[in-house]
């Protein structure tokens, strides 16, 4: 399972890079606007630094659904780096834009997917990634993980190359469930990736080993 980090915060991205756990990054207008407010940087520069740090797919979302404007934005964003992947929402307009970008060899992340039908359209149009927003489905009392199950099954049935990029992750159990279903990628918020390593028995175990070693003035040689 590949890990993308769901953030535009460069400090978080650098940390997780150091941990050796990052294969890519997803941003969206909300995440970028947070980082613009925090740093006062232009989004272009923020994305450039992210691409230089990660050297893996970095999603940036077009902010217009008008066809010509969106394609122009996508072309401009791609000038930042070959790692930029363009996010387009799973509406008819977004799908038309995605199809054009695919024709131009620009990788697409079809975003805001909330149904298996939208996921089928994303695969048919040749998106590289398809992003089901599972947390937002859970938020309205639906079963987000069921959508992941449907997508993995359908993509396997037809041998679609589009990768399921599980998004809107809220807690570590989401990652376990997505992994059990065989989803290729999870895009994970920083706090959740940190929580993945936490277990009280691990902390207890370390404490006990340290104490026992101290008793014999632990020295190997
Ligand atoms: C993914 O690409 C999205 O940016 C993200 O996962 C959305 O998550 P949210 O529902 O927590 O905003």
């Amino acid at each position: 399972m590949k890990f993308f980090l769901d953030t535009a915060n460069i400090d978080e991205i650098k940390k997780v890079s150091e941990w050796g756990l990052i294969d890519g990054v997803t941003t969206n207008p909300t995440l970028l606007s947070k980082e613009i407010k925090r740093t006062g940087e232009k989004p272009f520069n923020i994305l450039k630094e992210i691409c230089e740090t990660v050297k893996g797919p970095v999603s940036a979302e077009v902010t217009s659904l008008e066809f010509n404007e969106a394609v122009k934005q996508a072309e401009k964003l791609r000038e930042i780096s070959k790692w930029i992947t363009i996010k387009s929402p799973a509406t008819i307009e977004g799908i038309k834009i995605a199809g054009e970008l695919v024709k131009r060899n620009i990788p697409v992340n079809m975003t805001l997917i909330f149904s298996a039908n939208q996921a089928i359209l994303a695969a048919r149009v040749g998106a590289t990634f398809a992003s089901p927003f599972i947390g937002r489905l859970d938020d309205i009392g639906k079963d987000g993980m069921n959508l992941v199950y449907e997508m993995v099954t359908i993509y396997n049935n037809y041998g679609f190359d589009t990768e399921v990029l599980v998004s809107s992750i809220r807690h570590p159990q989401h990652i376990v469930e997505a992994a059990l279903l065989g989803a290729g990628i999870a895009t994970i918020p920083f706090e959740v990736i940190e929580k993945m390593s936490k277990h009280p028995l691990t902390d207890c175990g370390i404490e006990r080993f340290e104490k026992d070693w101290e008793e014999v003035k632990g020295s190997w040689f």
Side-chain angles (χ1 to χ4, degrees), residues 90 110 113-124 130 132 147 150-151 154-155 160 162:
M110 188 117 276
I113 292 183
F114 292 98
S115 75
N117 275 310
Q118 290 174 312
I120 293 170
L121 294 173
R124 278 298 317 272
L147 176 56
E150 290 177 339
M151 287 176 67
I154 292 166
Y155 287 5
F160 282 128
T162 305

Side-chain angles (χ1 to χ4, degrees), residues 16 37 46 58 66 91 95 112 118 168:
V16 182
K37 284 182 208 150
I46 296 171
V58 173
E66 196 281 311
T91 60
I95 283 158
L112 289 166
Q118 290 174 312
S168 188

